[in-house]
């Protein structure tokens, strides 16, 4: 049986952005026959047999597969040549093995499973080029024409993490996954509200609150330009591990009320409440609603399950910030904040509430 990599054909040159035509060559493992395609489809034994280098003059996806009698076909090897393209943003280039197009010519591309992902900087350098898994994510965003999902490193393809400093404003150089967000409710508007919130509130240090790193990029899928996408740090257990050294084995993300059963009108209730939550972060969090007119939750909380310490906040999902369709939500941000800050006992620094 062919192994992944060792007996697969290699393709030269590597994926990337090129100014002009390229001569493409595929290696042929000893005793094998290599079949290839240049339209992004997966090779089969019916695909053309490679024998000599060939030229590509426009954006092209090349895939190769080695076969040999008595053995299973090799894994696919993929290279994408983005020829003559120019962008002021980095490029996320995805080539999928399992995909389908819905709704005809203008339908949405659906991806599932193994992909080749290249992160290409604005100067053309390759940040990383890895095989990984693509997992669909999102709720309302899933109905939009642009893909949205999670890219997850998988050790069976070579590495269980990505090794690159993808976010300039964070020192993280190793991460297990990242998100590709299409801005959900903000898709047809600014396409940037969520990322903007994280940047101006956290990266510019206006508040002392954890944030999910953000980087705008353009995306190509199977050689086709799919517009601007928001690259976001994933908010899973690896977020807490990378940012705070939290063990992934004891990470707890709370989805329900953490103050259930506490009577915060009493001194003891307030003291008990302060054991559960970082109050300064919570004040920041609720204050943002008044300033930014957020239309939905906008944050996540987590803690160390074993240590049972305080829950920590970080910003998450601000696609409806800055009065996004405020009339539709029937939402008065200042009234909402004043009620919830009082109800959650945020207006105190000592056991007694302030006026």
């Amino acid at each position: 049986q062919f192994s992944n990599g060792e007996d697969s054909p290699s393709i030269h040159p590597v994926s990337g952005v090129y100014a002009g035509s390229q001569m493409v060559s595929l290696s042929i493992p000893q005793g094998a026959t290599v079949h290839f395609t240049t339209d992004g489809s997966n090779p089969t034994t019916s695909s053309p047999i490679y024998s000599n280098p060939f030229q590509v003059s426009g954006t092209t996806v090349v895939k190769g597969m080695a076969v040999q009698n008595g053995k299973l076909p090799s894994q696919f090897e993929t290279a994408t040549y983005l020829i003559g393209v120019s962008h002021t943003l980095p490029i996320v280039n995805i080539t999928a093995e399992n995909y389908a197009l819905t709704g005809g010519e203008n339908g949405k591309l659906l991806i599932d499973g193994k992909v080749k992902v290249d992160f290409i900087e604005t100067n053309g350098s390759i940040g990383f080029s890895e095989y990984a898994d693509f997992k669909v994510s999102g709720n309302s965003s899933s109905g939009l024409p642009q893909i949205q999902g999670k890219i997850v490193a998988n050790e069976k393809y070579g590495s269980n993490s990505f090794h690159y400093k993808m976010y300039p404003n964070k020192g993280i150089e190793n991460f297990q996954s990242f998100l590709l967000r299409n801005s959900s409710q903000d898709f047809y508007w600014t396409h940037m509200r969520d990322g903007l919130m994280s940047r101006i509130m956290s990266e510019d240090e206006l508040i002392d609150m954890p944030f999910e790193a953000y980087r705008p990029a353009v995306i190509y899928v199977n050689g086709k330009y799919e517009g601007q996408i928001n690259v976001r740090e994933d908010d899973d257990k690896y977020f807490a591990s990378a940012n705070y050294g939290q063990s992934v084995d004891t990470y707890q993300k709370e989805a329900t009320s953490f103050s259930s059963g506490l009577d915060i009108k009493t001194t003891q209730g307030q003291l008990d409440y302060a054991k559960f939550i970082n109050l300064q972060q919570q004040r920041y969090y609720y204050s943002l609603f008044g300033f930014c007119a957020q239309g939905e939750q906008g944050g996540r909380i987590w803690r160390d399950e074993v240590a049972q310490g305080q829950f920590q906040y970080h910003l998450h999902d601000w696609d409806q910030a800055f009065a996004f369709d405020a009339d539709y939500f029937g939402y008065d941000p200042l009234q909402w904040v004043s009620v919830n800050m009082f109800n959650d006992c945020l207006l105190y620094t000592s056991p007694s509430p302030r006026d």
Side-chain angles (χ1 to χ4, degrees):
Q1 178 178 343
F2 282 95
S3 62
N4 184 19
E6 181 183 3
D7 295 310
S8 296
S10 59
I11 305 177
H12 302 279
V14 298
S15 296
V17 175
Y18 295 92
S21 300
Q22 297 294 307
M23 290 299 297
V24 179
S25 62
L26 285 75
S27 67
I28 304 175
Q30 186 174 5
T33 299
V34 171
H35 296 267
F36 74 102
T37 62
T38 58
D39 62 357
S41 62
N42 295 332
T44 69
T45 53
S46 298
S47 300
I49 296 175
Y50 173 78
S51 57
N52 295 300
F54 56 91
Q55 180 175 282
V56 295
S57 56
T59 292
T60 304
V61 178
V62 177
K63 291 186 178 181
M65 175 188 70
V67 295
Q68 187 174 355
N69 289 336
K71 295 184 179 181
L72 294 175
S74 73
Q75 300 288 329
F76 302 131
E77 191 66 28
T78 301
T80 300
Y81 306 105
L82 303 175
I83 296 178
V85 307
S86 178
H87 299 284
T88 57
L89 294 173
I91 298 171
V92 177
N93 178 50
I94 294 176
T95 309
E97 292 190 3
N98 300 306
Y99 60 91
L101 187 66
T102 64
E105 182 179 354
N106 297 317
K108 180 176 180 178
L109 191 65
L110 301 179
I111 300 175
D112 178 54
K114 185 180 179 181
V115 297
K116 173 79 172 295
V117 56
D118 310 298
F119 189 83
I120 307 171
E121 290 288 358
T122 54
N123 63 1
S125 64
I126 306 295
F128 57 83
S129 182
E130 302 282 354
Y131 287 97
D133 285 322
F134 182 92
K135 299 181 179 181
V136 175
S137 66
N139 295 313
S140 59
S141 58
S142 61
L144 294 169
Q146 190 181 48
I147 69 168
Q148 170 156 312
K150 175 189 290 193
I151 304 292
V152 185
N154 192 324
E155 191 171 11
K156 70 180 181 181
Y157 305 141
S159 178
N160 62 359
S161 64
F162 300 98
H163 306 284
Y164 185 63
K165 191 175 184 297
M166 187 161 64
Y167 309 110
N169 292 297
K170 275 197 173 184
I172 297 171
E173 297 183 356
N174 292 284
F175 48 96
Q176 199 261 352
S177 60
F178 61 94
L179 301 176
L180 298 174
R181 299 200 70 241
N182 61 23
S183 289
S184 191
Q185 296 94 338
D186 195 32
F187 177 79
Y188 293 107
W189 298 77
T190 72
H191 214 77
M192 60 179 282
R193 279 181 168 92
D194 183 36
L196 177 64
M197 277 298 303
S198 286
R199 176 157 288 182
I200 65 176
M201 293 299 168
S202 296
E203 293 184 17
D204 293 341
E205 298 182 352
L206 296 184
I207 62 173
D208 182 18
M209 179 181 281
F211 67 98
E212 298 161 16
Y214 158 73
R215 194 168 185 192
V218 297
I219 184 170
Y220 282 79
V221 181
N222 292 345
K224 181 182 177 183
Y225 175 67
E226 294 284 349
Q228 183 175 326
I229 199 79
N230 294 320
V231 179
R232 302 303 306 270
E233 187 178 9
D234 198 358
D235 67 323
D236 60 5
K237 59 186 178 181
Y238 297 98
F239 171 86
S241 175
N243 286 272
Y244 306 103
Q246 166 70 41
S247 170
V248 296
D249 297 322
T250 60
Y251 170 85
Q252 177 187 0
K253 183 162 63 177
E254 183 71 18
T256 58
S257 175
F258 47 80
S259 57
S260 177
L262 294 180
D263 183 2
I264 59 175
K265 296 179 181 179
T266 67
T267 298
Q268 186 58 49
Q270 293 169 15
L271 291 171
D272 291 340
Y273 183 84
K275 296 176 182 178
F276 279 98
I277 196 72
N278 184 319
L279 291 175
Q280 188 63 40
Q281 286 184 359
Q282 195 178 53
R283 289 190 185 94
Y284 287 142
Y285 171 64
Y286 278 104
S287 296
L288 289 179
F289 279 79
F291 175 72
C292 300
Q294 166 72 339
E296 58 182 350
Q297 183 180 3
R300 295 284 176 85
I301 56 175
W302 63 272
R303 70 171 176 177
D304 187 313
E305 187 176 25
V306 173
Q308 295 288 294
Q310 288 182 318
F311 284 102
Q312 307 292 317
Y313 274 81
H314 69 264
L315 301 180
H316 174 82
D317 197 355
W318 286 75
D319 296 314
Q320 296 183 26
F322 299 109
F324 173 91
D325 206 2
D327 292 338
Y328 173 81
F329 291 102
Y331 167 61
D332 181 336
L334 293 179
Q335 181 182 19
W336 185 93
V337 169
S338 64
V339 171
N340 282 276
M341 287 181 74
F342 180 78
N343 287 343
D344 282 350
C345 201
L346 298 175
L347 299 179
Y348 73 89
T349 54
S350 63
S352 298
R354 290 190 285 175
D355 293 334

